[in-house]
């Protein structure tokens, strides 16, 4: 799989998430006894594994308790078809179990395919950067791009599709993981944060928050934050409230320049 990694980010960053290697399938194998959801496996020994580097569809907040949730069930069913009852090779990711006691790992099928990449490529999940889970991120982004352009799975559903920065629904999506696209109107420098503003009303419009560390990494890669002004970008992360909807960058890999070649790869993206 390493040989097939396609780098789809505009940012080539030494020492960042993109510098890590995607692990190959190792000799540590286990049998999948149950698929719990679109990103979680229960192994034959009872251990639970959360697939690294992906975001399975989150249940919509507006969905009533007990109501059918097709996206979540489709993701679980797809993962079950791939892995239930089969032996998978595991490569650990992250430093410790998460708050649910699950170890995070890359899981590979007998043919060498990464389960997460297969799910992303068919549109059942989205790529997500997590600390120490970044080696396969370029490959996952490439798989996601293909699914997004073909509008497979989640990408054909408004609830999960890429949002425009001026979408009024952003303010109702706090705590949810999304991709957002738009043109940066201005760049502001605070005492502890740099702000990419996507509108003229900084108390209402969408904002991307860039820490000094991420700003330094962007500058080292030849992409200084001030250079994002008036550029079209795609950013991914969890929506939070900070004088309007915002995404806080954890790593330079979470932001992409879309207009380097004068073209955008998503139909319906804001102009």
């Amino acid at each position: 799989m390493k040989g097939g990694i396609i780098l789809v980010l505009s940012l080539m960053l030494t020492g960042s998430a993109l510098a890590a290697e995607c692990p190959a399938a190792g000799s540590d194998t286990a049998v999948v006894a149950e698929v719990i959801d679109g990103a979680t496996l229960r192994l034959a020994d009872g251990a639970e594994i959360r697939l690294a580097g992906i975001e399975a569809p989150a249940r919509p907040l507006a969905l009533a308790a007990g109501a059918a949730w097709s996206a979540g069930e489709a993701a679980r069913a797809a993962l079950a078809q791939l892995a239930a009852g089969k032996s998978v090779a595991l490569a650990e990711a992250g430093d410790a179990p998460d708050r649910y006691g699950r170890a995070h790992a890359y899981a590979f099928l007998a043919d060498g395919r990464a389960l997460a990449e297969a799910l992303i490529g068919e549109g059942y999940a989205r790529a997500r950067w997590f600390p120490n889970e970044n080696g396969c991120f370029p490959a996952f982004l490439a798989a996601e791009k293909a699914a997004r352009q073909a509008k497979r799975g989640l990408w054909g559903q408004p609830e999960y599709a890429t949002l425009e920065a001026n979408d009024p629904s952003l303010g109702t999506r706090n705590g949810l993981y999304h991709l957002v696209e738009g043109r940066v109107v201005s760049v502001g420098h605070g005492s502890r944060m740099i702000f990419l503003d996507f509108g003229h009303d900084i108390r209402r419009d969408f904002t991307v928050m860039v820490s000094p560390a991420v700003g330094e990494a962007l500058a080292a890669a030849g992409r200084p934050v001030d250079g994002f002004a008036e550029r079209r970008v795609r950013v991914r992360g969890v929506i939070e409230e900070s004088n309007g909807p915002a995404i806080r960058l954890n790593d330079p890999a979470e932001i992409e320049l879309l207009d380097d070649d004068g073209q955008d790869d998503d139909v319906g993206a804001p102009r």
Side-chain angles (χ1 to χ4, degrees):
M1 185 175 66
K2 288 187 286 186
I5 288 177
I6 302 173
L7 184 60
V8 298
L9 289 181
S10 299
L11 308 176
M12 296 291 292
L13 302 175
T14 302
S16 76
L18 302 186
E21 286 193 17
C22 186
S27 59
D28 185 12
T29 62
V31 174
V32 177
E34 180 184 3
V35 172
I36 297 174
D37 58 34
T40 310
L41 309 174
R42 179 174 289 117
L43 305 180
D45 64 1
E48 290 188 6
I49 297 294
R50 205 276 191 190
L51 297 180
I54 69 169
E55 176 74 7
R59 187 178 180 87
L61 297 176
L63 193 64
W69 177 36
S70 60
E73 177 53 33
R76 191 204 66 78
L79 183 54
Q81 184 175 17
L82 285 168
K86 298 178 182 177
S87 178
V88 295
L90 302 173
E92 290 187 5
D95 297 326
D98 62 21
R99 60 179 176 172
Y100 302 107
R102 304 173 302 186
H104 287 212
Y106 299 105
F108 301 88
L109 295 168
D111 61 7
R113 286 183 297 161
L115 280 175
E117 188 173 357
L119 290 171
I120 292 169
E122 292 303 318
Y124 292 113
R126 294 170 288 184
R128 180 171 179 179
W129 183 94
F130 288 97
N132 302 313
E133 295 183 15
N134 39 48
C136 295
F137 198 59
F140 291 178
L141 285 174
E144 181 191 274
K145 179 178 180 179
R148 188 172 63 244
Q149 290 179 327
K151 297 192 181 303
R152 290 195 287 266
L154 298 176
W155 303 109
Q157 302 182 32
E159 185 65 34
Y160 302 99
T162 301
L163 300 172
E164 298 185 10
N166 61 359
D167 189 327
S169 76
L170 282 173
T172 69
R173 298 173 184 257
N174 286 355
L176 298 179
Y177 182 81
H178 276 290
L179 276 66
V180 180
E181 293 183 8
R183 190 172 299 278
V184 177
V185 171
S186 62
V187 179
H189 291 260
S191 59
R192 292 183 293 179
M193 196 71 67
I194 305 168
F195 301 92
L196 305 183
D197 298 310
F198 289 74
H200 295 286
D201 187 343
I202 62 174
R203 297 189 179 277
R204 184 187 66 185
D205 295 324
F206 178 68
T207 302
V208 171
M209 298 183 289
V210 184
S211 70
V214 174
E216 289 172 6
L218 286 165
R223 302 289 192 185
V225 178
D226 287 330
F228 282 88
E230 301 183 1
R231 304 294 298 275
R232 281 188 37 76
V233 304
R234 178 187 299 121
V235 63
R236 64 184 63 228
V238 176
I239 305 293
E240 60 181 271
E241 169 60 35
S242 181
N243 287 328
I247 285 178
R248 186 184 305 266
L249 288 190
N250 300 295
D251 189 271
E254 295 175 309
I255 187 168
E256 301 167 76
L257 278 172
L258 300 181
D259 56 7
D260 269 355
D261 58 3
Q263 298 181 347
D264 299 323
D265 64 5
D266 281 339
V267 176
R271 296 288 187 247

